[in-house]
Amino acid sequence: MTENTTSPPRAGRREWAGLALLLVPAMLVMMDLSLLHLAVPRLSADLAPTATQLLWITDIYGFLIAGLLLTMGTLGDRVGRRRMILVGAAAFGSASVLAAFATSAESLILARALLGAAGSTLAPSTLSLITTMFRDPGQRTFAISLWMTSFMAGGALGPVVGGVMLEFFWWGSVFLLAVPVMLPLLVFGRTLLPEFRDPDAGRLDLTSALMSLAAVLLLVYGLKETVRGGAAVAPVLALLLGGAVATLFVLRQRRMEHPLLDLSLFRNRGFGTVLVTLLSTALLLSGVQFLVAQHMQMVLGLSPLRAGLWALPMVAGGLVAVMAASAAAGRIRPGVLFPAGLLVAACGFALLARVEADSALAVVVAGSVLMFTGLMPVSALGTDVVMATAPPERSGSAAAMTETTQELGGALGIAVIGTVGSGVYAADLGANLPEGLPEGAAEAAGQTLGSALHAADGLSARLGAELSEVAREAFTSGLQVASAASAVLLVVLALAVLPALRRVRPGGGAGGALEETRSHPSP
């Protein structure tokens, strides 16, 4: 049998121009997750939301993105990925205007919900369309690396951009950034972006769509509320119910001819291994980054804007590492690149594990830079492996799985790592409370570092200073333990990934993953 040695077509100027259109919206979707945090005090003064309404204002966007990713990714395979992107861009821009000029808490919650629904259409369709535009493995790896970098940079740059906007404008201005960003996509998208749909996709199963939405919403809600209030009844029930719905969802997909979630993709060993890696890295990165951000502000005394600016070296380090890894992916096996990135990140976590309450800011930044430098290439190349493994007609579903995995990993990271840090903080603080502390102040201080610092403000100068010092040291102990545990877990993960991906050949990061599956068909 004659072997087909025809190389995939290489992308030209149109495809690279189309990629440029897709990068900034991808960054904006992530940026909107954190843009609002700095605006909370001003919008609270303006709209006077209740505590429950404020939680919905901040959380409904992320909840709906996570809950609708699987449905929107698969829907893009059916109705057309370019169409989904253009509809999502128009909806995102319109909802941003509604949010910017909201006159009540209820209208802002509705606008944020619309933003989440629109954002869920952009991420999976954008990623799956990139795999259609860039068929050459090396070019695809580089394009996905750029996309992943812009996606992760959006999360890091959100506080910086939000801080700058709030210096000069009202709180609603942070939403209006979406309008000039989405306009070029709407104007030039039909010309520069190709259309792709699966002609044999079948009808969308609404029952599966509702089940996936319910499962993800319940799991994310349960995880976030567990972090806020501990193992209360409602979050625990949400987690149990979410797990049950997820199990029923998977069982339903196994019986369907055209499933919402294509479980056959997991027959490829590289696909499942990489998804687990993406889940684990998102968990550790988001959890420890959550603690580092608090350490910078409440232990080192940085303002939110300055803390955001110090995130830029992390993004820069990650960007350089992603570009270097994508260039090396054509020559070095993923089984080498993945463990190398995980071990570099483990060094960063190990450095953070040695941070003291009076350590210099440079030590915290250096550890964070190593953390990003190691994990961002793993996320980018891992996404490439998943997308290359999936057949073209199912790439929307594969993209949604990738994004959902990382979204759940992020929520799980804040829950797990945050709980570890909180537990160490409470134990360390309880053992070192200053003598003569009023009972109410002691109880408040045991909740969070922010509560401890607030309680210290109402005490005498001497007692307040002592409480602040022991609280900051206790919080730093929590960061140390969480970082040390993360470093150990990354080393274990690196050792597990090495044999799992050892047969995957280099070639754009993931080309070998698909070849391996075809060369070794399942019996």
Side-chain angles (χ1 to χ4, degrees):
M1 185 172 65
T2 303
E3 184 179 356
N4 183 11
T5 58
T6 304
S7 300
R10 291 180 62 82
R13 292 181 179 177
R14 178 186 174 188
E15 286 77 15
W16 290 110
L19 177 64
L21 278 182
L22 298 176
L23 292 183
V24 180
M27 180 184 293
L28 186 67
V29 169
M30 278 300 293
M31 194 179 291
D32 256 41
L33 283 171
S34 54
L35 267 177
L36 190 62
H37 293 170
L38 295 180
V40 165
R42 293 192 188 180
L43 75 86
S44 297
D46 191 10
L47 302 182
T50 64
T52 302
Q53 288 175 331
L54 187 59
L55 288 177
W56 280 109
I57 288 170
T58 56
D59 285 346
I60 190 64
Y61 175 77
F63 281 178
L64 284 182
I65 283 185
L68 291 172
L69 276 171
L70 280 177
T71 299
M72 295 303 184
T74 305
L75 187 61
D77 290 336
R78 287 164 164 77
V79 305
R81 296 167 189 162
R82 183 181 67 187
R83 178 180 297 177
M84 287 294 291
I85 290 172
L86 295 180
V87 170
F92 199 94
S94 301
S96 296
V97 174
L98 292 177
F101 296 101
T103 56
S104 66
E106 292 82 1
S107 61
L108 183 54
I109 291 171
L110 175 61
R112 290 279 287 172
L114 294 174
L115 277 171
S120 69
T121 69
L122 293 172
S125 293
T126 298
L127 181 55
S128 58
L129 194 59
I130 288 175
T131 65
T132 303
M133 297 161 59
F134 297 91
R135 305 306 301 170
D136 176 78
Q139 287 187 323
R140 185 193 62 243
T141 299
F142 185 70
I144 289 179
S145 297
L146 288 176
W147 179 87
M148 179 58 70
T149 301
S150 69
F151 207 69
M152 297 184 72
L157 293 175
V160 179
V161 176
V164 172
M165 296 292 291
L166 292 171
E167 285 286 327
F168 301 100
F169 306 105
W170 88 111
W171 62 265
S173 65
V174 298
F175 295 110
L176 293 181
L177 288 170
V179 176
V181 169
M182 295 301 175
L183 278 178
L185 181 57
L186 292 171
V187 173
F188 300 107
R190 195 171 292 275
T191 302
L192 296 177
L193 301 176
E195 183 59 285
F196 184 93
R197 65 174 62 89
D198 178 11
D200 301 318
R203 298 181 61 183
L204 179 68
D205 180 42
L206 292 179
T207 301
S208 294
L210 291 173
M211 291 176 72
S212 70
L213 175 63
V216 175
L217 285 181
L218 287 167
L219 290 171
V220 173
Y221 168 80
L223 290 169
K224 290 198 172 188
E225 288 303 307
T226 299
V227 175
R228 286 196 182 110
V233 174
V236 171
L237 286 177
L239 289 173
L240 293 175
L241 185 57
V245 175
T247 301
L248 293 174
F249 170 77
V250 170
L251 293 175
R252 182 179 179 85
Q253 303 314 294
R254 293 170 65 93
R255 299 192 303 266
M256 296 184 64
E257 181 180 359
H258 299 288
L260 186 69
L261 177 65
D262 190 356
L263 298 176
S264 66
L265 295 173
F266 288 92
R267 294 173 186 167
N268 184 303
R269 188 182 182 190
F271 186 91
T273 298
V274 172
L275 277 185
V276 172
T277 303
L278 291 176
L279 175 70
S280 303
T281 54
L283 185 156
L284 298 178
L285 181 62
S286 64
V288 174
Q289 189 180 10
F290 173 70
L291 297 179
V292 167
Q294 294 181 73
H295 181 88
M296 283 186 171
Q297 295 180 57
M298 290 187 284
V299 176
L300 300 181
L302 273 63
S303 67
L305 179 57
R306 286 189 63 199
L309 289 172
W310 277 110
L312 297 181
M314 310 174 203
V315 176
L319 175 61
V320 172
V322 166
M323 295 300 102
S326 66
R331 303 184 303 275
I332 303 175
R333 292 175 180 268
V336 175
L337 289 175
F338 275 58
L342 295 173
L343 292 176
V344 169
C347 293
F349 284 112
L351 183 56
L352 289 173
R354 298 184 62 84
V355 166
E356 302 288 346
D358 57 353
S359 294
L361 174 63
V363 179
V364 180
V365 173
S368 300
V369 168
L370 284 174
M371 182 173 66
F372 267 71
T373 300
L375 293 186
M376 282 185 67
V378 172
S379 296
L381 296 181
T383 300
D384 187 30
V385 169
V386 170
M387 298 307 298
T389 300
E393 66 274 9
R394 300 298 292 161
S395 62
S397 178
M401 270 189 271
T402 303
E403 293 303 308
T404 303
T405 295
Q406 297 194 76
E407 182 72 27
L408 285 175
L412 188 62
I414 294 176
V416 174
I417 303 297
T419 300
V420 170
S422 297
V424 174
Y425 166 80
D428 193 279
L429 182 71
N432 295 282
L433 282 174
E435 294 183 3
L437 194 66
E439 183 177 347
E443 183 178 353
Q447 300 299 315
T448 64
L449 175 57
S451 298
L453 297 179
H454 180 72
D457 290 338
L459 302 174
S460 65
R462 180 191 62 80
L463 204 54
E466 290 181 8
L467 177 59
S468 298
E469 182 180 357
V470 297
R472 290 187 172 103
E473 290 177 351
F475 183 87
T476 304
S477 297
L479 173 61
Q480 291 171 344
V481 172
S483 299
S486 299
V488 172
L489 289 173
L490 282 179
V491 172
V492 173
L493 185 60
L495 294 175
V497 166
L498 187 60
L501 298 179
R502 69 182 184 278
R503 292 185 180 179
V504 181
R505 293 189 293 274
L514 189 55
E515 291 175 17
E516 182 186 3
T517 301
R518 291 172 176 169
S519 302
H520 303 81
S522 302

